[in-house]
Amino acid sequence: HVQLVESGGGSVQAGGSLRLSCAASGYSYNPRCMGWFRQAPGKEREGVAIIDSAGTTIYADSVKGRFTISKDNAKNTLYLQMNSLTPEDTAMYYCAAKSRGGGGVYCFRTYEYSSWGQGTQVTVS
């Protein structure tokens, strides 16, 4: 059974930085995609950044140039480095993994993800 546990969220002032981590366990396969998603109150969950099994990374336009997704396969950990944070980045952040389907831009298909973490709150004031 796949488990994803996020950490690293918190409160920060605008312009600050945070690094989110997602520790993965229980895998018997290399995920096709792993990604960071976020959901603000009253809004739908949206993709922030993804990395596929080929190492391709893609970012939402709203975070390009500010956020960096990376993965340490030896530690089974996914990261999201967030710089130049703005109040618009305030949300619950989730990491997720999927085993099937296409990679690349298809990794933003939220409905294809079967494994989700519990989320970590990021608040920017």
Side-chain angles (χ1 to χ4, degrees), residues 2-70:
V2 175
Q3 284 191 317
L4 302 173
V5 180
E6 302 99 334
S7 61
S11 297
V12 64
Q13 291 188 333
S17 299
L18 286 172
R19 188 174 85 150
L20 306 184
S21 299
C22 173
S25 61
Y27 277 113
S28 60
Y29 58 88
N30 184 28
R32 187 69 180 95
C33 303
M34 292 194 75
W36 288 98
F37 298 80
R38 67 186 181 187
Q39 188 166 19
K43 295 187 177 181
E44 293 188 355
R45 190 170 296 188
E46 63 174 357
V48 174
I50 64 90
I51 183 167
D52 70 11
S53 54
T56 300
T57 59
I58 305 177
Y59 300 88
D61 287 343
S62 59
V63 306
K64 277 181 186 176
R66 301 187 298 121
F67 290 11
T68 303
I69 188 171
S70 62

